[in-house]
Amino acid sequence: MPARRQIDNGAASAKTTSSQATVSSIAAPNAPSNGGVADTTSTRKQPPPEKPSDVRRRTYVILSFWVIVVLLGLPIWWETTTIYRANLPLSEMLDWADGKACRPVFPLRISIQANSLHEQEAQNLLRLTQHALDDLNDFSGHHLRLQLSPPAAKETEKDDDGAALTIRLIPGESTTSTLDPYAPILDITYPPHTIPSPSSSSSSLATYVATQLRTTFAEEQAIISYLLSSHSMPSDHRPQGLTPEAADSLSKRTTRSLKYAPTYHLTFSLFTSGPLPSSWDIEAAIAEFMKPVLDVLSPIHNFTIDTQVQLYATPGVQSQVLTKEDLSSFINAAEWPLSPSIGGAPTINFIVFVGNQTIHAAPQGTADETDRTSQSWLIPQWGTVYLLPLPSDTTHVSAEKLKQSLLTFTSHLLSLTGTPQSGSLPLRLSTLARIRSADLLLRASSTLGSLARLALALPSISIPESVADGVSTTMSHLRLACETLGGPEGLAHARVAEAEAERAFFEKSMVGQLYFPDEHKLAVYIPLLGPVGVPLLLGLLNEIKAWRKRRRERAEHAAKKRE
């Protein structure tokens, strides 16, 4: 027992000594030991080194994420968000717009009937006339080529097949010319002594014929010159000599006429301020006085017709005598049921208003001098209003009473469709076909240029395949129209080219991209890609740093081994 107590006392004494040492160490933590040098690294516990398998696993995980993003995510994103842009021949489209791809030329064949002359005399006269015509013609777009009709051709024959004009040379006492009002025939009488000899190099008769030809086609030449000058044509293709007065007159006529359309809808309306008259023979009047002109216009335009009668139609102006200021407010748009375009075709309104009102003066610029009457006026790009005074007890308007109004409507219809004013009606209509061909060709070319410039200015705009197909069709028909310009085939090809160009330019899926700027894309992508892209990028950077560190340590270790 004494011995065990002694052992316990010794353990307690040792424990007390150890506690004092510990307290001394805490009280003096900076006290030097081991010769006065503090060993701080021995007191910090380092993490165990990574196993090579763990390092490889972490690397594979990071690389797998990036492989999925690069090889799967980016292709899917690119495929689903890339704006499709079909290949367009932009340089060729701009060439058409600048007038470099086609030079409008109208080859017109003029047939000469000289049955009273010998063939050698007729050939000599034709040669001299062609030389005089080439000297007088300052417009390269018109190629007037003379040809001699066979001797068997009769003088009563209207015109040769395919000839724009037929000239009939008739012996007479003096040199005169007369243009047939119902056929493209120019009758020229000549004294027999004016026939040139085979050895002569000039002839007064040849010069006279060339001058008459130039005068006959002067209006067509001026209109085509104005069309070419108003478009972006090269300077060597533009005609020269168009005076400012002529250009101003043609500008007014162009503003007054309707834009070309293959179909027009004609609306004939009878408006009365009372219960009478209640009916009219408009169908018979149209068939008798207007149908012939509609038939000759049918190769260029199609027409649909409807009629209506509106009773108790009050005009917008109650004055008995209308002035030119009153004409603009005469139509009461609030009460008159003037229907808009039907079936997409432009509507031309022809209104017969029954009343005792008269027109004091027609407004300037709304009609030509010959159209200024006291009963009607023409509204540019809209139609015509005709004031028809009738007895108060008239219940029915016959076709005969509508004759003057229908003749006025016919004349104004020709003005609204852009028909030339000089020459016989067949000659005017053939001129209209050539003018429309040139106009449609220039408009389709201009539309192609606008589409090309739009595609270049907006790289992010969508260009679907339908636009490329429309451009290809347009250019194909433009080439055909340029080759057959001046004939019915040229008009048909120019009509298709203009329609296809308009359809391609106003493609709905393409126009919608104009209002989606790039700022919207950033606003969509940043909130989505930010939380995903930052961890991926930081993880990749940390792994690259760790790989470089391991590589550097391996290099140092290898260097120590070599030392």
Side-chain angles (χ1 to χ4, degrees), residues 429-477:
L429 294 178
S430 63
T431 299
L432 176 62
R434 291 187 288 271
I435 292 173
R436 289 301 192 186
S437 300
D439 186 26
L440 291 174
L441 187 144
L442 293 174
R443 281 165 50 185
S445 302
S446 178
T447 303
L448 283 183
S450 300
L451 181 58
R453 287 187 288 269
L454 179 66
L456 292 174
L458 300 176
S460 61
I461 193 173
S462 173
I463 301 179
E465 195 65 32
S466 59
V467 174
D469 295 339
V471 170
S472 177
T473 305
T474 300
M475 297 176 62
S476 175
H477 284 278

Side-chain angles (χ1 to χ4, degrees), residues 39-49:
D39 189 4
T40 59
T41 59
S42 61
T43 61
R44 183 181 303 172
K45 188 176 181 180
Q46 295 293 331

Side-chain angles (χ1 to χ4, degrees), residues 291 418 487:
K291 190 66 163 57

Side-chain angles (χ1 to χ4, degrees), residues 116-136:
S116 59
L117 298 178
H118 297 292
E119 184 177 359
Q120 185 178 3
E121 293 177 339
Q123 290 290 350
N124 185 41
L125 178 61
L126 185 144
R127 179 181 57 83
L128 295 177
T129 305
Q130 185 68 62
H131 290 168
L133 189 62
D134 294 339
D135 294 338
L136 290 176

Side-chain angles (χ1 to χ4, degrees), residues 275-357:
L276 298 177
S278 59
S279 61
W280 59 336
D281 288 336
I282 185 61
E283 290 82 4
I286 293 175
E288 182 178 358
F289 304 114
M290 202 170 188
K291 190 66 163 57
V293 176
L294 298 181
D295 291 339
V296 295
L297 283 172
S298 58
I300 307 174
H301 303 285
N302 296 323
F303 296 96
T304 59
I305 299 174
D306 74 329
T307 63
Q308 65 174 338
V309 177
Q310 179 69 21
L311 304 180
Y312 303 101
T314 304
V317 180
Q318 302 297 328
S319 176
Q320 192 69 23
V321 179
L322 302 177
T323 62
K324 62 180 181 180
E325 290 80 10
D326 298 332
L327 300 183
S328 59
S329 58
F330 178 84
I331 298 176
N332 194 339
E335 297 182 5
W336 294 7
L338 299 172
S339 59
S341 300
I342 298 177
T347 297
I348 302 178
N349 296 276
F350 295 120
I351 296 177
V352 177
F353 188 86
V354 178
N356 294 323
Q357 292 175 303

Side-chain angles (χ1 to χ4, degrees), residues 8-38:
D8 292 340
N9 292 336
S13 176
K15 185 177 182 180
T16 303
T17 305
S18 176
S19 300
Q20 290 176 355
T22 303
V23 170
S24 300
S25 176
I26 295 174
N30 297 326
S33 62
N34 299 328
V37 180

